[in-house]
Amino acid sequence: MNHCQNKIALITGASNDRDMGTAICRKLAAEGIDIFFTYWKANADWEKTFQEEVREMDVRCESLEIDLSHENAAIEILDTVTDKLGSPSILVNNAAHSTRDGYIQLDAKTLDDHYVVNMRSTFLLCVQFARLFEKSKLDAGRIINMTSGQDLGPMTGELAYAATKGAISSFTRSLSQELAPLGITVNAVNPGPTDSTWMTDEIRNSLLPKFPMGRIGRPEDVARIIRFLASDEAAWITGQVLNSEGGFIRS
């Protein structure tokens, strides 16, 4: 049912079948939205297989392999999606960089590696998307950024990740005010710990008791709230950080 076939969504960070970005692509494609995704270091030909899967939903799908740490990545991405599909009306900044650190290990390179992906690429994609949107004939735009609950509690051993992802919340709130007159909503989603590519059995066993619903979050849970925020039904929601983490207990 392609009732949204004139919409184009740009999603970053879909590089594996179990990624949150991949689940988001599938969910939006099921709504009849054309998909453009970025990936990095995917398995051989994975992106081609995934593109075909999405196209079988009767939507267009294109992709770009790109290192988001490059300073011109945002411009290259928006130029490519516009050339291949047209002007996007939905941007989902899902890609992130994360390594363990803590106060003993933290150094300048660790901070810089997190900053260029989690902050700089996200922020520049947002503003480049808005500049392009303003020149287009589109009526409504959606920017959805991803956080990880940094506003709700500490993340020990992940200082660089927590600091750079936490900045996304502040940026989201401020940008939403600037872009509201253009008809673009800007929100962020905290999905809580999600069982995607980074979880091991040890991590799952330690996290499961903290989920009162009896299971760990799945990529599909994230995709559902992204679908809502990208829809016309969410037109009156902007400048918000939505915590959708199944009652996760932070203690």
Side-chain angles (χ1 to χ4, degrees):
M1 183 168 61
N2 289 357
H3 55 280
C4 297
Q5 62 186 157
N6 61 323
K7 293 183 178 181
I8 300 165
L10 163 58
I11 301 100
T12 65
S15 302
N16 183 286
D17 201 55
R18 294 176 55 235
D19 279 340
M20 289 193 296
T22 304
I24 293 166
C25 290
R26 289 182 174 121
K27 190 66 70 174
L28 295 182
E31 294 296 311
I33 299 171
D34 293 331
I35 300 297
F36 186 96
F37 66 92
T38 72
Y39 64 97
W40 181 239
K41 295 182 178 179
N43 292 331
D45 293 331
W46 175 85
E47 78 285 354
K48 294 178 183 178
T49 301
F50 183 59
Q51 277 188 31
E52 290 306 313
E53 175 191 335
V54 173
R55 288 169 181 162
E56 288 177 2
M57 300 183 194
D58 198 25
V59 298
R60 296 181 298 164
C61 182
E62 299 289 346
S63 64
L64 176 67
E65 181 174 23
I66 191 165
D67 183 350
L68 292 176
S69 69
H70 292 167
E71 62 180 18
N72 292 320
I75 293 174
E76 182 178 348
I77 291 169
L78 267 302
D79 284 350
T80 305
V81 65
T82 302
D83 180 60
K84 290 189 173 183
L85 294 177
S87 296
S89 62
I90 300 165
L91 168 64
V92 183
N93 280 307
N94 168 71
H97 176 78
S98 175
T99 59
R100 299 286 296 178
D101 50 58
Y103 80 95
I104 293 177
Q105 290 83 15
L106 187 65
D107 57 19
K109 185 180 187 304
T110 301
L111 283 168
D112 290 346
D113 289 348
H114 283 77
Y115 160 75
V116 292
V117 175
N118 297 346
M119 292 173 62
R120 189 177 72 185
S121 72
T122 293
F123 300 168
L124 292 180
L125 276 166
C126 285
V127 297
Q128 191 68 17
F129 170 90
R131 293 165 187 156
L132 180 63
F133 182 91
E134 190 172 12
K135 296 176 183 177
S136 72
K137 303 293 185 180
L138 301 171
D139 295 326
R142 302 282 185 268
I143 294 176
I144 305 161
N145 298 320
M146 301 298 289
T147 66
S148 300
Q150 286 76 21
D151 297 343
L152 304 179
M155 294 185 70
T156 55
E158 296 189 61
L159 296 174
Y161 180 75
T164 52
K165 292 289 281 186
I168 293 174
S169 298
S170 297
F171 185 84
T172 295
R173 295 185 182 101
S174 293
L175 185 65
S176 70
Q177 296 290 299
E178 290 194 25
L179 300 190
L182 302 181
I184 301 173
T185 65
V186 188
N187 295 290
V189 171
N190 159 36
T194 302
D195 192 353
S196 56
T197 53
W198 64 278
M199 274 199 188
T200 63
D201 287 340
E202 182 181 359
I203 293 173
R204 291 185 188 94
N205 292 336
S206 66
L207 287 176
L208 184 58
K210 298 183 178 183
F211 284 93
M213 291 190 178
R215 69 169 177 86
I216 296 173
R218 305 179 184 120
E220 292 75 19
D221 297 317
V222 184
R224 279 192 286 269
I225 192 166
I226 299 294
R227 175 183 61 184
F228 168 68
L229 288 174
S231 74
D232 294 340
E233 297 297 314
W236 202 236
I237 301 172
T238 195
Q240 305 302 308
V241 178
L242 282 73
N243 299 302
S244 174
E245 50 181 25
F248 179 65
I249 301 169
R250 296 177 179 274
S251 60

